[in-house]
Amino acid sequence: MRVTSYKNDKNKKMDDYVKSGAYKWKIAIPLNCDHDLIRCEGGAKIDKNSGKLNISVPDFQGNGRHILVVIENKNDIEIYSFPMNVQRCYARITGNYLIVSNIAKSLMKENEKIRLNGEVLLRQISNLFAPLDDLFGDIKLLDASSIFRVINNEIIFKESQIKPIKSTTSSVQEYIISKYDRICKEGKPLAVLLSAGIDSRLNLALCHYFSKKYRNEIVVYHEYKDRKEHDIAKHIADELKLPFVSISRDRFKNEPLEYILSPEFISFHGGIYRDTLARWFSYMDVIKLSNPDATIIGLAGDPHKGKFYRDIHHLPNDLEKMLKYRMKDEKIAEEKDFMPYLSNEKTDEFFSSTHRRALISSDPCFQTDFIFYHVQAAQQSASRSPFFHLNYKIPFPLNDDHFLSMAFSLPKKEKMDAAISLNLIEKINPTLNRIPYHSGNAGGFRNRYENLMIEIMSMIVSKEKSSSRRDEDVRWNHPSIVSYLGGASSDITEKLERFIRANLGKRQKNGRIRVECALRVYLFLRQVEKELGINFFVNKES
């Protein structure tokens, strides 16, 4: 594969496609189930099947479709959300209609008041490990991999699409191999993202394995964070005799702002995405502009790693302690505007309800996997996968409910400590397992006391940042950001605006409110205020 030089050009393909609005879909279903009044927009389509009415939407991967809504017996309406939130699914009952869309703004009406949940808002604008995404009070963001029913004008959880099933290591491996075979058999070039961790090494091992059969050209891309990870990734690429391109994490300073400030980008994300994602858009552009025909492989979630088992004795309490999800008042005590929103009530309920749903299996390891999936993996996937999935056509071959059911149902010893991935690497290219790993998941493979000791030792041994380390360096205080501030018409957007102006260019500690997080929420709320005349209020504020 020819790797061309990267020029700092704007990605016109992204702009043209996203600005066309072709990615948006919306479905309006009358609750009296008069089928003639169902409205479908943006690729949503109605099909009749054996007395049922199926409404499907594009899955944005080839010509595939996802059955989103099933209507049976006229008034029995079920909604099937996407696995791993590869597309978000917002739903709202307003008037006599159920409205469903992948874009939050599509469910809002001109000049209405929209309630925000203060606890969710505070978690969103803080740098938290496990945020909640259900920001809007009357617009429901449906949990991933779930089936919902409409009962008495309410959208109610029915059951999970992830279920305990008969599963073996060999059946899981066969399924993974078949998925990658399907990707590689097109013969297209492959741009494989490689860190020093486990997931990306499995991706590369599988792509390299099938490239011998389908003659795929492969280029390995590494995001440089520090010398240790770089050298491991380079060692792997050299072992496989593959071209290796390293791009420093701090390379992109102004380029990500073109995305963050784009009206269509703001609308697409609805104010919810991980702040660290900013640099990744420009990184993807480097790859696409250098290798326009390549399929990018990487950036999937990690719900099948077999993490935390050593410390799980009482669910969900033990997993809550491991994830350290609770907000503490000392973290935001200085921010008087936002202190009234401090609460863990909604988050506690989310953990509790997820645990209740996990009881479909009596196996505590299945339950642990299930809770971790919904609390972290699916939430983090929602903040990045939809745009990568849609705009860059990145396939997520293991982000489906059947694979997750298989992985979660394996016996403990066959999945613990990333055994699924490590055993498959050992099967197809054992040499790669001999090269050291440096994984961010390592903490989940140790007990909490080991992790505490390691954390203390690293604080003692390394008080100064490694000279080889490169951190994200997006210019959040760029004049283009400042030019977007002003004119807030809701009390909450005024508060966010004050905070952003006062803190642009400053770095906040983890767990505190951060400018880049507050900015993404502010930009969406402010844009909707201007376009639709919406007035946002938090909880019981008038």
Side-chain angles (χ1 to χ4, degrees):
M1 175 168 43
R2 185 171 65 92
V3 182
T4 61
S5 61
Y6 168 63
K7 297 180 181 179
N8 191 16
D9 298 328
K10 202 172 182 182
N11 188 341
K12 296 297 183 183
K13 183 178 179 182
M14 187 285 270
D15 288 339
D16 292 343
Y17 185 77
V18 175
K19 287 182 179 179
S20 74
Y23 61 88
K24 301 176 184 176
W25 47 258
K26 181 179 176 181
I27 303 162
I29 305 169
L31 295 179
N32 63 13
C33 285
D34 184 341
H35 294 171
D36 293 333
L37 297 179
I38 296 175
R39 302 194 303 269
C40 293
E41 302 174 10
K45 185 173 69 173
I46 302 175
D47 294 301
K48 292 184 178 180
N49 182 17
S50 303
K52 295 182 180 180
L53 203 65
N54 294 339
I55 304 177
S56 63
V57 296
D59 68 1
F60 301 119
Q61 295 265 298
N63 296 315
R65 298 189 68 81
H66 172 83
I67 295 177
L68 185 76
V69 178
V70 176
I71 304 174
E72 191 172 8
N73 300 324
K74 289 192 174 182
N75 59 355
D76 188 0
I77 304 174
E78 294 185 343
I79 309 169
Y80 293 71
S81 61
F82 286 82
M84 282 291 282
N85 285 316
V86 291
Q87 288 191 60
R88 288 198 181 100
C89 187
Y90 291 96
R92 182 184 191 185
I93 292 177
T94 177
N96 193 40
Y97 275 85
L98 166 70
I99 315 292
V100 188
S101 178
N102 58 345
I103 302 298
K105 190 181 78 171
S106 297
L107 278 68
M108 299 178 184
K109 297 177 290 187
E110 288 187 359
N111 301 316
E112 71 171 330
K113 290 186 175 182
I114 296 286
R115 178 170 59 89
L116 305 178
N117 184 286
E119 179 184 340
V120 177
L121 173 70
L122 188 54
R123 297 185 74 85
Q124 281 294 325
I125 64 178
S126 304
N127 184 35
L128 292 175
F129 184 69
L132 292 176
D133 291 342
D134 206 359
L135 179 61
F136 308 102
D138 300 315
I139 299 173
K140 189 176 182 67
L141 177 57
L142 303 185
D143 297 330
S145 302
S146 300
I147 304 173
F148 292 83
R149 296 185 68 187
V150 178
I151 302 175
N152 297 326
N153 283 16
E154 290 189 48
I155 302 165
I156 306 295
F157 173 83
K158 178 188 177 184
E159 61 182 308
S160 173
Q161 296 186 75
I162 300 173
K163 303 179 184 297
I165 60 176
K166 185 177 180 180
S167 179
T168 64
T169 294
S170 60
S171 65
V172 170
Q173 290 182 347
E174 288 171 9
Y175 190 79
I176 296 172
I177 289 171
S178 70
K179 285 282 194 168
Y180 280 78
D181 183 290
R182 193 177 306 170
I183 292 170
C184 297
K185 72 179 180 181
E186 297 178 7
K188 292 178 64 176
L190 303 173
V192 182
L193 309 183
L194 183 66
S195 67
I198 299 168
D199 287 334
S200 64
R201 197 172 308 190
L202 176 60
N203 284 338
L204 183 58
L206 286 161
C207 290
H208 182 258
Y209 173 81
F210 283 112
S211 70
K212 298 176 182 177
K213 179 179 180 181
Y214 299 118
R215 300 185 181 279
N216 310 83
E217 296 181 33
I218 298 175
V219 172
V220 175
Y221 283 87
H222 173 72
E223 187 198 38
Y224 184 99
K225 183 176 73 174
D226 59 42
R227 175 60 63 183
K228 181 175 183 179
E229 289 199 13
H230 170 274
D231 290 350
I232 292 173
K234 182 70 164 59
H235 186 177
I236 295 165
D238 290 345
E239 179 68 34
L240 298 177
K241 297 180 173 56
L242 295 173
F244 180 81
V245 179
S246 179
I247 302 172
S248 180
R249 176 172 285 190
D250 62 355
R251 171 172 177 171
F252 305 110
K253 296 174 172 56
N254 298 329
E255 297 92 336
L257 302 181
E258 295 178 1
Y259 291 85
I260 291 166
L261 299 176
S262 161
E264 277 296 338
F265 179 84
I266 293 169
S267 176
F268 179 90
H269 286 282
I272 299 171
Y273 58 90
R274 295 187 70 192
D275 55 291
T276 55
L277 213 59
R279 70 180 188 272
W280 280 98
F281 302 132
S282 298
Y283 187 24
M284 293 300 102
D285 286 348
V286 169
I287 297 173
K288 274 299 186 183
L289 289 167
S290 300
N291 313 291
D293 298 324
T295 298
I296 300 174
I297 306 294
L299 296 171
D302 62 345
H304 57 282
K305 290 285 186 60
K307 296 162 66 171
F308 306 122
Y309 297 161
R310 288 175 176 81
D311 282 313
I312 300 300
H313 307 290
H314 301 287
L315 286 169
N317 295 338
D318 288 338
L319 194 55
E320 291 170 5
K321 294 174 185 175
M322 296 297 298
L323 296 179
K324 300 177 182 178
Y325 76 95
R326 299 187 66 82
M327 295 196 71
K328 299 179 180 179
D329 55 3
E330 65 265 23
K331 295 287 188 180
I332 61 165
E334 298 176 6
E335 305 299 337
K336 303 301 183 184
D337 279 345
F338 302 103
M339 272 296 290
Y341 311 145
L342 179 64
S343 171
N344 288 295
E345 182 179 349
K346 190 173 179 66
T347 311
D348 287 338
E349 173 54 31
F350 180 61
F351 263 92
S352 297
S353 64
T354 303
H355 177 239
R356 289 194 297 271
R357 296 174 188 181
L359 295 177
I360 53 175
S361 171
S362 59
D363 176 14
C365 291
F366 180 102
Q367 295 171 15
T368 299
D369 293 339
F370 187 97
I371 296 172
F372 175 72
Y373 167 70
H374 281 285
V375 170
Q376 187 194 4
Q379 298 275 9
Q380 292 192 354
S381 175
S383 68
R384 64 182 184 184
S385 296
F387 195 77
F388 289 146
H389 188 64
L390 164 65
N391 188 66
Y392 299 107
K393 303 298 183 291
I394 297 179
F396 298 119
L398 304 184
N399 284 7
D400 70 80
D401 295 325
H402 181 64
F403 171 73
L404 295 172
S405 296
M406 294 175 72
F408 294 179
S409 298
L410 280 175
K412 176 180 177 180
K413 65 179 181 179
E414 295 181 34
K415 59 182 178 178
M416 187 173 183
D417 299 347
I420 293 174
S421 299
L422 294 173
N423 289 341
L424 186 50
I425 293 172
E426 188 68 24
K427 179 176 181 177
I428 59 178
N429 195 331
T431 302
L432 297 185
N433 262 346
R434 309 297 175 262
I435 300 172
Y437 287 92
H438 186 68
S439 172
N441 290 285
F445 306 149
R446 300 186 291 258
N447 67 46
R448 72 184 70 166
Y449 303 108
E450 289 180 281
N451 285 328
L452 179 60
M453 290 303 299
I454 289 172
E455 185 177 339
I456 292 171
M457 288 302 296
S458 39
M459 289 174 64
I460 295 172
V461 173
S462 177
K463 290 190 176 181
E464 295 185 6
K465 187 187 296 185
S466 168
S467 61
S468 73
R469 185 177 176 87
R470 299 292 180 267
D471 291 317
E472 178 185 288
D473 191 24
V474 178
R475 298 295 167 80
W476 296 107
N477 59 344
H478 191 275
S480 62
I481 295 286
V482 179
S483 69
Y484 270 73
L485 303 176
S489 57
S490 303
D491 181 62
I492 184 58
T493 46
E494 288 179 357
K495 290 178 179 179
L496 289 168
E497 188 177 303
R498 281 198 301 270
F499 173 82
I500 294 166
R501 286 187 184 277
N503 292 280
L504 274 175
K506 299 178 183 177
R507 296 187 66 86
Q508 291 82 24
K509 296 180 180 179
N510 287 348
R512 298 183 186 275
I513 300 172
R514 294 181 58 173
V515 167
E516 53 269 42
C517 301
L519 180 66
R520 66 169 184 253
V521 177
Y522 169 83
L523 288 173
F524 175 72
L525 299 183
R526 184 69 194 100
Q527 180 166 297
V528 175
E529 284 179 343
K530 290 191 287 188
E531 292 180 356
L532 297 178
I534 299 291
N535 181 269
F536 292 101
F537 67 99
V538 180
N539 293 341
K540 296 181 180 179
E541 292 181 10
S542 59

